[in-house]
Amino acid sequence: MISENDIDRYLRFDREQWSTLRAQTPLTLSEKELEAARGINDRIDLEEVATVYLPLTRLINLYVAATQSLHRVSATFLGTMAPKMPYVIGIAGSVAVGKSTSARILQSLLGRWPEHPRVELITTDGFLYPNAVLEERGLMNRKGFPESYDTKRLLQFVRDVKAGTSEVSAPVYSHVVYDVIADREEIVRQPDILIIEGLNVLQTGSSTTEFVSDYFDFSIYIDAIESDIENWFIERFQTLRKTIFQDPNSFFKHFADLTEEQAISLAHEIWVAINGKNLQENIAPTRARASLVLHKGADHKVNAIHLRKL
């Protein structure tokens, strides 16, 4: 949750208060489409989409319109043509907290507004250094920590998108082989809205004076108490053991034959040594930089929303 030091900077809503801000926004997402967006072990349902995400997309749509209007006013003052400038949204939070599901739902819902904006989604996983580089630098056990990312490349990507470059490429990551795929890239072509999802998108702890979040128009932090997130991580690990880890190409195929007790023990060790440590040291401290914080309860449902005051 937002700390006492930061609480005055935010407006707080419970589920009921927030849901009323949906106004007349229609639910255009089907159960089948939600199933495609839902992450492993994520329990989000259409009621959650209507209660939490429809008000959020209405807010973002209003912000996008206001930002575009501001660009037009600025262009009129300068006597120039208003450039096509993508609205960039950052989504941050811990491993296993549900960032990817939230990002995919927002992408789908925002693209269905009457203006039919083109919404693209990029995850920062592709900007991790390849395993060979991480091995060379002794960082394989710190994957996901700030130093494991090619921050310069990520910054250049966001700069180019924000500048309206016609085509910008992003590297692609495979969670099966647990590595960047060398011969694949994703092309972003002047979207109206770009969503960037990742652990590190709100972090500022580096030697550079420029940060990825400098280019965000709006940012979201997905929050929950650590014990809940750890439980979700362990549940997800158990599911992966029975599914993706069974793939002969999986980097973690050696975990597929673990017993349930062994898997729970190992997942807890990984959490304590890596993911929990990264959350405490690098991710959670960025929460107060977000425009909006969605706090989840143990049942995965959002029970509090904090919106930064303008």
Side-chain angles (χ1 to χ4, degrees), residues 1-3 6 9-10 92-94 146 199 202-205 221 223 226 275-290 308:
M1 295 290 283
I2 293 293
S3 70
D6 297 307
R9 301 161 63 192
Y10 286 85
S94 171
L199 302 172
L202 292 177
Q203 291 169 2
T204 59
Y221 185 94
D223 192 28
E226 184 178 341
N275 295 320
K277 187 175 182 182
N278 195 17
L279 172 61
Q280 295 159 16
E281 295 179 359
N282 302 301
I283 302 169
T286 71
R287 178 175 47 211
R289 302 188 68 242
R308 182 185 285 276

Side-chain angles (χ1 to χ4, degrees), residues 115-267:
E115 299 82 3
H116 301 295
R118 189 151 57 86
V119 186
E120 298 201 31
L121 168 62
I122 290 291
T123 72
T124 59
D125 292 341
F127 293 92
L128 285 160
Y129 286 114
N131 286 355
V133 175
L134 296 176
E135 290 276 12
E136 181 184 331
R137 298 182 183 181
L139 294 174
M140 276 300 286
N141 286 333
R142 291 183 66 80
K143 206 172 204 183
F145 284 70
E147 64 269 27
S148 65
Y149 290 89
D150 188 345
T151 305
K152 289 183 179 178
R153 186 174 183 183
L154 177 56
L155 269 169
Q156 189 60 55
F157 167 81
V158 183
R159 276 193 217 106
D160 290 343
V161 171
K162 199 68 173 175
T165 303
S166 58
E167 292 189 352
V168 187
S169 64
V172 175
Y173 187 85
S174 167
H175 287 277
V176 175
V177 300
Y178 196 59
D179 203 356
V180 178
I181 305 176
D183 57 350
R184 282 189 60 191
E185 60 182 22
E186 193 167 356
I187 305 298
V188 173
R189 296 180 174 87
Q190 293 186 310
D192 299 299
I193 299 173
L194 174 66
I195 299 171
I196 301 178
E197 175 258 307
L199 302 172
N200 65 328
V201 294
L202 292 177
Q203 291 169 2
T204 59
S206 67
S207 57
T208 181
T209 57
E210 185 181 23
F211 310 107
V212 173
S213 57
D214 291 344
Y215 296 91
F216 291 167
D217 296 287
F218 191 80
S219 56
I220 301 166
Y221 185 94
I222 312 295
D223 192 28
I225 64 172
E226 184 178 341
S227 58
D228 287 339
I229 305 175
E230 180 183 354
N231 288 336
W232 301 338
F233 174 76
I234 293 172
E235 289 172 4
R236 189 174 75 172
F237 190 90
Q238 289 281 53
T239 301
L240 291 171
R241 178 176 64 92
K242 301 170 185 175
T243 54
I244 294 176
F245 293 173
Q246 299 287 335
D247 187 326
N249 296 313
S250 173
F251 181 85
F252 296 107
K253 59 187 176 183
H254 54 291
F255 291 156
D257 296 327
L258 293 174
T259 66
E260 183 171 348
E261 183 178 338
Q262 288 171 332
I264 291 173
S265 177
L266 178 60

Side-chain angles (χ1 to χ4, degrees), residues 43-72:
R43 301 168 195 166
I44 191 167
D45 55 23
L46 288 176
E47 188 273 336
E48 183 80 351
V49 173
T51 300
V52 176
Y53 291 91
L54 286 184
L56 177 54
T57 55
R58 176 174 176 248
L59 174 68
I60 292 173
N61 192 59
L62 291 169
Y63 278 3
V64 171
T67 300
Q68 290 171 341
S69 178
L70 183 61
H71 288 318
R72 286 192 294 269

